Each structure stands twice: as structure tokens, then as C-alpha cells.
Amino acid sequence: MIRELAERVRQADPRWQDAGLMLLVQVATTIPFVVPRDPGESPADWPAYLLTTLINVPLVWRRRAPVRVVFGMIAAGSVYQLSLDGPGQPLPYAALISVYTIALICEPRVRLVMWVVVTVAIVGSVALNTTTAKELLFALFVFGAAVALGRLQATRQAYTAAVEDRAAQLERANRIEAEQAAARERARIAREMHDVLSHAVSIMIVQAEAGPVAVRRAPARAEAAFEAIAETGRDAMAQLRTMLGVLRTDEAAPRAPQPGLGALPALLDRVRAGGIRVSYERSGEVRELAAALEATVHRVVQEALTNVVKHAGASAVEVRLEYGPRTLTVSVTDDGRGPGPGSGGHGLIGIRERAAAHGGTARTGPGPDGRGFSVRVVLVTSPLEVGM
């Protein structure tokens, strides 16, 4: 309960906080006026009480005009000491709070000037009262403590603000990083779906276009073409389910591995079924690669073959993997006419992005002797893969 009340007070409007503080100080300064007094002590009359109240009221403006508040209190206190003989106070509550406020919110030059002014006022007040060193030292001590507390609170507030600002910056950085990660993942999924659908649809279109001719001239070949269409569709659906399963929040969603080098023969067979001669060769020290790198090789070959089927008008294509000490070079070269204007745009961009993700490069252009089209991708293998 007390903690909740303190939190509400802390979050209240500063003007209401200062008004409440002024009322609290007024209650404290009222006590000497209402408690029973000895006959020989100064009388607690209304003029003295009203002037004491006048000293406390400026606390309402202590944050908006701290310097004026201090000067107003000094002036009212001087009038009280010079013209009235009312009951004294154990401590100058309002003046201490004003000095604390100046130490908390004012700039160094103002603090120094006000400390000199307050010191002179303290010396003058002691001179009008007891003129003893004890009273002077006590007054200097309590006002010095108010200054020290104000500076400590200012340091604490600055530290808290710095910590909160740092936390806010970290939160913004984490949010930006999460958004960038989500954007990268969306791009990756879009690239995967483009590769799968583009390849599957291209193969199916080629087979479907050849189907009617094959039905009339070679029924056996037509049956193989339709089977190739069905197989291509089933494979595309399976890969799409795998990718869409990644987007599901259900932990029971299936998690099939990405296609790797082991799936290349089936990929090449589907292209062969469309009437294109496909050769496949591997050279160098053939070794096992990381799953992510194998998936990239498969997608690169898939996209290159999709462009051959859709745009090249080729009769033959050569797929070659060259294993180097720290690299793997993937080459897909056809004997067609090459991609026309505007063809292969997204696919070739995807190939370059995949190569860059593995620290590699991708080059596309005319094949040997300027005939056909060639896609050449160099991928960097990790030290772990080199040693396998």
C-alpha cells in the first residue's frame, strides 16, 4: 500500500507535488504555534503565524523559479526576525528545501551565486539570534547537507536517465534487428518459393505442350510426359509444404530437410523428360558438404535449368560441379539462344543472393564461343567442410 501510494505521488503532476510539499511544511511549522507554551516564551500570535505561512507559500513555485523563491524566503524571514518575536522553528524547512532544489536543477554558476547568498543570509540570521559559533556551524552543516543531497539526487537522476536511454536504444536496436531478420526470412522464403514454383511450372508446361504431339505419334512417350508432369507437381507440393511448415507456429508441423546434392539426379531427369539432353559431371575431390551449402547448390542448378527450359530453346545442357580446396564451382551451360530481354530476372538475382550468402560470386553470360548461355557460381566452403 505504501509503495503504491509513493508511486502515485511520484507520477503526479509536479505542481501538485509541490503544493502537497508546501502543505506538509506548513503543518510542520504550525506545530510550535499550537503546542502549549511556557508563559516566558514568545507569544504565538496570528501575525507571526501568517508571516511564517508567507515564507512557506513560495515552495509551490520552487521548480519554476527556484532563485526567486529563495530571495522571497530570505526577505520574508528577515521581516519575521526584525519585526516580530514569534516562536522559533527547529529547522528552516522551507529554506532547506529551496536550497536542495537549486542544487538539484540549477546550473553550476547559479548554484555558486546562490550558495554565497545563502551563506551571507545564514551569517546575518545567526548575528540577529544567538551570535554563537554553535548555531552558525549547525546552520552551515544542515544547509550544506541540503546542497549535497541535491547534487546526489541530480547525479542519480542523470544516471537513471542514461540507463533508460540505453535501454530504449537497445530496444530499438533489437526491434530493428528483428524486423531485418524477418525481412531476410521473407526474402529467403520468397526466393525458395520462386525457385520451386518456377521450375515446376516450367517443366509441367513443356511436358504439357509436348503431350498432344506425343499422343498422336508416340503414345508411350506421352504417358511418360504425363507421369513427369504428375511427379513434378508432387515434388513441388512436397517442397512447398516444407517451406510453409516453417511459417507455422504449431510445433507438430513437419520439418523435412531441404533438397541437397542427392536430389540432383531426379531434378535432371525431370528436365530430360522434356526432351533436353542433360549431362552431369563432378570433378575434383568429391566430399560431403554442409546441408545449407548443398541446398544452395540444388537451388542454383534448379533455377539455371528453369531458365534453360523457359527461355533458352536449348537442345542440350551441361551441369558441372568442380570441387576445389576451399571452393565449389557450379556451372550450368546450354546450347540455346540465351535468355531474351527481361527473362530470368528474379531467378538470376536469387542465384547471386545465394552465392553471396556463402561468400561466393555468380557470373552469367554467353557460353563458350559465344553460343548458348552459362551460369557459373563459385561458393566458399567452410574449413569444417574442407576437412570432411
Side-chain angles (χ1 to χ4, degrees):
M1 178 67 70
I2 296 178
R3 182 178 298 179
E4 293 179 359
L5 180 60
E7 184 64 20
R8 290 182 180 179
V9 171
R10 189 181 68 85
Q11 294 179 354
D13 189 307
R15 291 174 296 182
W16 288 108
Q17 292 180 0
D18 292 340
L21 180 62
M22 185 273 292
L23 292 176
L24 184 62
V25 172
Q26 182 65 22
V27 170
T29 55
T30 301
I31 294 176
F33 287 88
V34 297
V35 297
R37 303 177 58 79
D38 294 335
E41 293 181 342
S42 301
D45 51 15
W46 280 106
Y49 182 72
L50 292 176
L51 193 54
T52 301
T53 302
L54 185 62
I55 296 174
N56 297 334
V57 168
L59 285 176
V60 176
W61 298 279
R62 69 184 184 96
R63 297 189 223 207
R64 286 168 283 176
V67 174
R68 295 179 182 178
V69 167
V70 169
F71 278 110
M73 288 181 178
I74 292 175
S78 300
V79 172
Y80 186 91
Q81 288 189 326
L82 293 174
S83 61
L84 297 174
D85 188 21
Q89 298 289 332
L91 286 173
Y93 306 108
L96 288 174
I97 293 174
S98 298
V99 170
Y100 164 87
T101 302
I102 288 177
L104 175 64
I105 66 176
C106 291
E107 60 183 18
R109 184 181 62 179
V110 174
R111 296 199 303 266
L112 179 60
V113 172
M114 292 309 299
W115 179 241
V116 172
V117 171
V118 170
T119 301
V120 172
I122 291 172
V123 173
S125 177
V126 172
L128 293 174
N129 286 331
T130 62
T131 68
T132 62
K134 178 181 178 180
E135 182 184 3
L136 177 62
L137 292 176
F138 178 76
L140 293 175
F141 173 78
V142 294
F143 277 94
V147 172
L149 288 175
R151 295 312 305 152
L152 287 174
Q153 179 65 9
T155 302
R156 178 178 174 275
Q157 290 181 354
Y159 174 77
T160 302
V163 171
E164 291 176 349
D165 181 66
R166 176 61 176 167
Q169 291 180 2
L170 288 175
E171 183 180 357
R172 287 194 297 269
N174 290 336
R175 184 173 64 253
I176 292 173
E177 183 178 355
E179 291 173 352
Q180 291 175 344
R184 289 193 298 268
E185 184 64 11
R186 287 194 297 269
R188 185 192 69 80
I189 294 174
R191 189 166 58 241
E192 292 284 336
M193 295 185 70
H194 169 272
D195 291 350
V196 171
L197 292 177
S198 180
H199 174 78
V201 171
S202 297
I203 295 296
M204 293 167 70
I205 289 174
V206 170
Q207 296 288 357
E209 290 176 345
V213 177
V215 167
R216 293 191 298 270
R217 299 181 181 179
R221 184 179 174 186
E223 184 178 349
F226 292 135
E227 178 60 30
I229 291 174
E231 179 63 27
T232 301
R234 285 192 293 268
D235 181 70
M237 288 298 296
Q239 294 190 52
L240 285 175
R241 281 194 211 98
T242 299
M243 284 183 287
L244 294 176
V246 175
L247 300 178
R248 295 179 58 185
T249 57
D250 185 4
E251 293 297 329
R255 297 289 189 267
Q258 288 287 319
L261 298 184
L264 278 182
L267 174 65
L268 303 181
D269 288 341
R270 287 196 294 270
V271 177
R272 291 189 185 102
I276 300 176
R277 298 189 306 275
V278 181
S279 63
Y280 176 43
E281 181 181 352
R282 297 190 294 179
S283 62
E285 184 182 349
V286 179
R287 60 185 180 275
E288 185 179 356
L289 303 173
L293 187 60
E294 287 198 9
T296 294
V297 174
H298 184 279
R299 295 304 188 198
V300 167
V301 174
Q302 183 183 60
E303 180 55 36
L305 291 176
T306 300
N307 286 335
V308 171
V309 172
K310 291 172 61 177
H311 308 296
S315 61
V317 60
E318 179 186 81
V319 178
R320 183 180 178 85
L321 304 184
E322 301 176 29
Y323 290 81
R326 288 185 172 274
T327 59
L328 174 64
T329 303
V330 182
S331 302
V332 180
T333 305
D334 65 69
D335 63 353
R337 60 178 177 269
S343 61
H346 292 293
L348 296 181
I349 291 174
I351 289 175
R352 295 188 184 97
E353 290 176 348
R354 292 181 186 278
H358 291 276
T361 58
R363 291 192 304 170
T364 59
D369 302 326
R371 298 179 54 194
F373 192 76
S374 176
V375 175
R376 181 180 175 86
V377 176
V378 180
L379 303 173
V380 177
T381 57
S382 67
L384 177 60
E385 293 162 354
V386 172
M388 295 179 63

